[in-house]
Amino acid sequence: MSLPLIFFVNGRKVVEENAEPETSLLEYLRKNLGLKGVKLACGEGGCGACTVMVSRYDHENKKIFHYTVNACLAPVCAMHGLAVTTVEGIGSIKTGLHPVQERISKSFGSQCGYCTPGIVMSMYTLIRNTGQPTTEQIETALEGNLCRCTGYRPILEGFKCFTKKSCGLGENCCMNRKQSDEEQELPSSSAMNASIPPDSTQDPIFPSELQQS
Ligand code: FES
Ligand code: FES
C-alpha cells in the first residue's frame, strides 16, 4: 500500500491519497486546490509566471529554508513534507495586501498582470530569506521572471523601499513611517507614500508538524 502525499499549502494541510506522479505542482494547485494565482504561461520553466515559494525544515541545522520553485516543472509528489506558499497565501484585497503586492501595484509595475504573481513570489521569498536585500539581490532574484508588457524599471522602482538604501523619498519613505500614519491624508504627488511598512506577522507561519522528525 502506498503512503499518501502530505504537504502544506498556504498553511493548510493537504493529504492526497491518489497523487499522480506526472501531475505538476502547478496543475495540482490550480485544478485541485483552485489557486488560480499560480499562472501557466510557457509551461517549461522559462518565464517564472508560475513561481511559488517552497519551504523546508532542515532537521540537522534546525533551520527553515525558503526557495522559489517553478510550479510548472515541479512534480506535486516532490512536495511531500514541504510547505508551499502561493500569492493567495500572502495577501489579498479582502485580507489586506502584503507590502510586496502593494508596492508593485503602487509603482505601476503591473499591466496585464499575468507575470505579477510570479514576480511577487520571487520578491517575497527574497525578503523572507534576507530581510532587507540589496538592489543587486533583487535584480538577481527577479532574473527568472519575464514581463512582456510593463518593463522592469517600474517593478524594480517599486521594490526599492525594501533595500537598505533610501528609495529617495527621505522621511516620506514608507520604511520610516509608523503604522498610524496610514490614516493620515497623504500627498498625491507620490503614490509610494501610501505604502505600508513590512509586517512580519503577515507572513504565514511554518507548519509545526513539519518541524517534528
Ligand atoms: Fe513559465 Fe512555469 S509557466 S516557468
Ligand atoms: Fe503583463 Fe507583466 S504585466 S506580462
Side-chain angles (χ1 to χ4, degrees), residues 5 7 9 20-54 69-79 84-88 114-115 117-118:
L5 166 68
F7 65 119
V9 177
E20 295 288 344
E22 67 271 22
T23 301
S24 69
L25 175 60
L26 180 138
E27 209 179 330
Y28 192 87
L29 292 172
R30 287 182 63 89
K31 289 195 186 151
N32 294 52
L33 303 183
L35 296 169
K36 301 289 169 68
V38 191
K39 301 294 182 211
L40 171 62
C42 70
E44 53 187 30
C47 74
C50 62
T51 304
V52 296
M53 183 176 86
V54 173
V69 162
N70 285 336
C72 68
L73 293 182
V76 69
C77 292
M79 295 301 117
V84 177
T85 305
T86 71
V87 74
E88 290 92 343
Y114 213 75
C115 68

Side-chain angles (χ1 to χ4, degrees), residues 105-128:
S105 157
K106 291 266 167 63
S107 66
F108 306 104
S110 181
Q111 284 184 35
C112 78
Y114 213 75
C115 68
T116 308
I119 289 177
V120 164
M121 291 317 293
S122 290
M123 186 62 200
Y124 176 78
T125 306
L126 178 66
I127 290 176
R128 286 295 292 262

Side-chain angles (χ1 to χ4, degrees), residues 31-208:
K31 289 195 186 151
N32 294 52
L33 303 183
L35 296 169
K36 301 289 169 68
V38 191
K39 301 294 182 211
L40 171 62
C42 70
E44 53 187 30
C47 74
C50 62
T51 304
V52 296
M53 183 176 86
V54 173
S55 309
R56 176 178 68 83
Y57 185 68
D58 182 334
H59 289 276
E60 207 175 311
N61 297 306
K62 304 209 179 322
K63 224 179 144 205
I64 299 162
F65 289 97
H66 306 290
Y67 45 97
T68 52
V69 162
N70 285 336
C72 68
L73 293 182
V76 69
C77 292
M79 295 301 117
H80 188 74
L82 304 177
V84 177
T85 305
T86 71
V87 74
E88 290 92 343
I90 67 167
S92 69
I93 291 170
K94 275 191 197 155
T95 60
L97 294 179
H98 187 275
V100 174
Q101 296 168 312
E102 198 234 9
R103 288 199 186 132
I104 198 167
S105 157
K106 291 266 167 63
S107 66
F108 306 104
S110 181
Q111 284 184 35
C112 78
Y114 213 75
C115 68
T116 308
I119 289 177
V120 164
M121 291 317 293
S122 290
M123 186 62 200
Y124 176 78
T125 306
L126 178 66
I127 290 176
R128 286 295 292 262
N129 282 329
T130 62
Q132 263 190 320
T134 63
T135 308
E136 292 71 30
Q137 284 175 318
I138 294 176
E139 288 176 1
T140 303
L142 299 181
E143 267 175 1
N145 293 90
L146 303 185
C147 175
R148 293 178 62 142
C149 33
T150 304
Y152 301 99
R153 192 49 53 197
I155 296 168
L156 292 170
E157 282 299 315
F159 290 157
K160 248 190 195 170
C161 286
F162 294 111
T163 65
K164 291 187 182 86
K165 283 186 189 162
S166 163
C167 66
L169 291 172
E171 60 184 25
N172 284 327
C173 173
C174 55
M175 302 295 281
N176 296 325
R177 292 168 51 245
K178 296 191 187 81
Q179 201 78 37
S180 58
D181 293 345
E182 297 305 314
E183 272 82 60
Q184 293 174 12
E185 203 178 323
L186 296 158
S188 58
S189 56
S190 173
M192 285 303 293
N193 282 359
S195 296
I196 45 176
D199 174 5
S200 59
T201 60
Q202 264 184 289
D203 294 329
I205 295 163
F206 189 80
S208 56

